[in-house]
Each structure stands twice: as structure tokens, then as C-alpha cells.
Amino acid sequence: MDATLGLPVLTILIAVALLFDFLNGLHDAANSIATIVSTRVLRPQYAVFWAAFFNFVAFAVFGLHVANTIGTGIIDPSVVDATVIFAALVGAIVWNVITWGLGIPSSSSHALIGGLVGAGMAKAGISAAVWSGLSKTLLAIVLSPLVGFLLALVLVAIVSWLSVRSTPFAVDRAFRILQFASASRYSLGHGGNDAPKTMGIIAVLLYSQGHLGDSFEIPFWVVLACQSAMALGTLMGGWRIVRTMGLRITKLTPMQGFCAETGGAATLFIATYLGVPVSTTHTITGAIVGVGAARRITAGRWNVASSLVYAWVITIPASAAVAAASYWAVQVLK
């Protein structure tokens, strides 16, 4: 791939980026709808429409802080060229397809970050990394599920205390209604943190090719294209992962589903406003485990949760390795 791209090649690369965004929505649909489906408040086919709508409108709420972090805060923009972007997307897509096929809710976000790091370092060595942004992202791997866990745990305690004089039927009915609000907030957080990651990829590609002038910015057509691709992926659903997220980790009541979604949404809101590209998968899993632990320690199926942690640990190095191999393969074929 040449340093300066023709329109057909540039269009193909943008299409590949949007394919990743679509797969991100497909892969992470479970993050938005697992709790509301597992509590049987909404049927899956209705839940995906609910989630897709709030995924799409999220940019109007949160802005583009995360897109700027991905575009300029993971690898040095001067290192970016068409081959780096292509290899990064291949690394992320391959890992997403593998984990989707196995029903493992790994992080699409960290697959993309791993792909960027692997491709960037394959080209320019360790100096390609922007360590201030990358270290912030790596720290979020630990903090986002922990914060989601703690917030959900506290919420269950507060809600249980407030509901102590209510009948189980009244509590169940109230939280079935409230889950609509908590699910929409979580879907907003999901769309606000995940779609901008692909916006950053496309924008830095355009910037590297001189299409954005002297300043890095996110064109509005890129915003709409990425939000649409993610919403469409969410509409397609990810039922294998819904089963893992909503049923295999712990069984949820509507009250617990509300607490998990609210705790996860609060975590995503904070991270998105700070411009930190966290994993929505990590966040909601931590929150689901938190509500299970609030009931009793044995309520969470820790063998399932621990297997998810193993997948998270290897996501960045695995996608980075695939991306680096893709970069070197392109160099050989030139």
C-alpha cells in the first residue's frame, strides 16, 4: 500500500473499519441487552431495537472524547499509514470473530487497541506507542469491571434496604418498569464509548492522507457512519454471548438487572466524559458479578467469570500479534 492512497483503496479501508464497527455492535449487543433479556422484561428481538436506538444517538450526549483518544492517544499519528490501519483492523476483526464464535464476551475495544499497538510497533518499534494514553487504557482494564462491581454491589444494598417494607411482587413490578430506563442508559454509555473508537481510526487514516488539513478532527459523516454501523450490528444481535452474560454468570431478578445496568452505565458515563476507551464487556460483567455477590458469594458462577478474565488478559496481546503478522505479510507482498 502506497503512502498516498487512491480513492478506491481509501474507500475499502473505511469500509473495513465500518465492518469492524458492525462486528463490534454484533459482538457487544449482549452487553446492552443481556440483563433486560435474562430478567424477561423484554424479548430479545425487541431489546435489540431498544439498544440500537440508544447506541445510535449516543454521540449527541457524550461528544467525541474517546474518538480523539483513539486517534491520537494510543500510537503516534505520524506512524499511521494505510498498512498500519489495515493490519490493526485485521487483528481486531480476527480476534472478534474467534471469540464471537466461541461465545466468549471479550473486549472489542481492547482488540482494536491491541491491533493498533501491534501494527504500530511492527512498523516503528516500541517508540510508536503513546504511553500516556496507552497506560490510561491499560489501567481501565482493571478499574472498569471493579468500579462496575462495586457500584452494582452498593446499589443492590441500597435498593434492598429501601424495598424492605414492599412485597416481592411490588418490587418486581416496579423494577420491570425501571429496567427500561437503566437499559437505555447503559446502551447510551455503550454507544458513547464504543462507536467513537472506530471514528478515531477512520479520522486518523484521513489525517494521515492529508484529507483533514493541518488539524485532527472527526468529520460529521464519519460520526454518522460509525454510529449507524454499530446500531446495525446491535440489531443483528449476539445470542451466544447473551446466554453467557445474562444466564451463565448469575441468575438475575429485575431489581438486580436494574442495579447491574445502572452501575455499568455510571462507569461508562464517567469513562466516556474523561475520554478513556474502556471495555463495555468488562464493565457489565463486573456489574453482573457484583449483583450476584450481593446475594451471596456462591451466587456468582466464578468458574465462568474466571474464564472470561483469561480471555480479557490475552485479548490485547493476541490481537496485537495478529496485527503485527498482518503488517509484516503486507510488507512481504509489496
Side-chain angles (χ1 to χ4, degrees):
M1 296 182 184
D2 299 328
T4 302
L5 301 176
L7 183 60
V9 177
L10 182 62
T11 301
I12 290 170
L13 281 174
I14 292 173
V16 173
L18 293 175
L19 172 63
F20 169 80
D21 214 18
F22 171 83
L23 290 173
N24 192 343
L26 177 74
H27 191 274
D28 289 359
N31 299 350
S32 297
I33 67 173
T35 51
I36 202 168
V37 170
S38 68
T39 56
R40 294 177 175 80
V41 171
L42 273 182
R43 292 182 179 180
Q45 60 267 38
Y46 301 134
V48 292
F49 278 99
W50 185 267
F53 172 77
F54 287 101
N55 275 183
F56 179 77
V57 301
F59 73 92
V61 177
F62 294 107
L64 304 175
H65 306 299
V66 173
N68 289 317
T69 297
I70 291 292
T72 61
I74 301 300
I75 59 172
D76 189 337
S78 65
V79 171
V80 174
D81 59 18
T83 308
V84 169
I85 294 297
F86 173 76
L89 290 169
V90 168
I93 288 172
V94 167
W95 185 247
N96 267 359
V97 170
I98 290 171
T99 52
W100 176 80
L102 296 175
I104 299 171
S106 66
S107 170
S108 299
S109 307
H110 293 145
L112 181 59
I113 291 164
L116 274 174
V117 171
M121 288 187 175
K123 178 183 179 181
I126 197 169
S127 63
V130 178
W131 290 105
S132 58
L134 186 56
S135 60
K136 180 170 63 175
T137 301
L138 294 175
L139 182 62
I141 292 178
V142 177
L143 291 183
S144 62
L146 180 61
V147 172
F149 174 92
L150 292 174
L151 286 176
L153 192 68
V154 170
L155 280 168
V156 170
I158 293 172
V159 168
S160 297
W161 180 75
L162 292 174
S163 305
V164 70
R165 296 182 182 278
S166 302
T167 65
F169 176 79
V171 171
D172 186 78
R173 183 176 59 183
F175 281 99
R176 282 180 178 275
I177 297 170
L178 288 171
Q179 258 203 283
F180 285 97
S182 61
S184 64
R185 285 196 298 269
Y186 189 85
S187 294
L188 270 176
H190 175 240
N193 201 277
D194 268 13
K197 293 160 188 169
T198 308
M199 296 176 201
I201 290 288
I202 294 175
V204 76
L205 174 62
L206 293 172
Y207 179 73
S208 73
Q209 298 299 306
H211 292 290
L212 298 183
D214 295 330
S215 60
F216 179 85
E217 60 182 14
I218 315 293
F220 188 61
W221 69 265
V222 173
V223 174
L224 291 181
C226 290
Q227 296 287 171
S228 299
M230 171 159 285
L232 184 60
T234 301
L235 281 176
M236 299 295 291
W239 310 127
R240 291 171 183 261
I241 299 174
V242 168
R243 181 172 178 273
T244 299
M245 297 289 289
L247 301 176
R248 289 179 60 199
I249 295 177
T250 190
K251 292 182 179 179
L252 300 175
T253 65
M255 182 270 281
Q256 292 165 334
F258 169 84
C259 292
E261 288 162 348
T262 302
T267 305
L268 292 180
F269 281 22
I270 294 167
T272 303
Y273 278 121
L274 293 175
V276 181
V278 300
S279 167
T280 56
T281 308
H282 292 198
T283 303
I284 194 61
T285 302
I288 290 173
V289 173
V291 298
R295 190 164 66 228
R296 64 181 188 278
I297 295 298
T298 56
R301 298 181 184 177
W302 302 104
N303 60 326
V304 176
S306 63
S307 69
L308 304 184
V309 171
Y310 298 145
W312 297 342
V313 169
I314 65 172
T315 289
I316 288 182
S319 56
V322 175
S326 300
Y327 181 87
W328 291 322
V330 172
Q331 297 304 310
V332 169
L333 293 173
K334 279 185 175 180

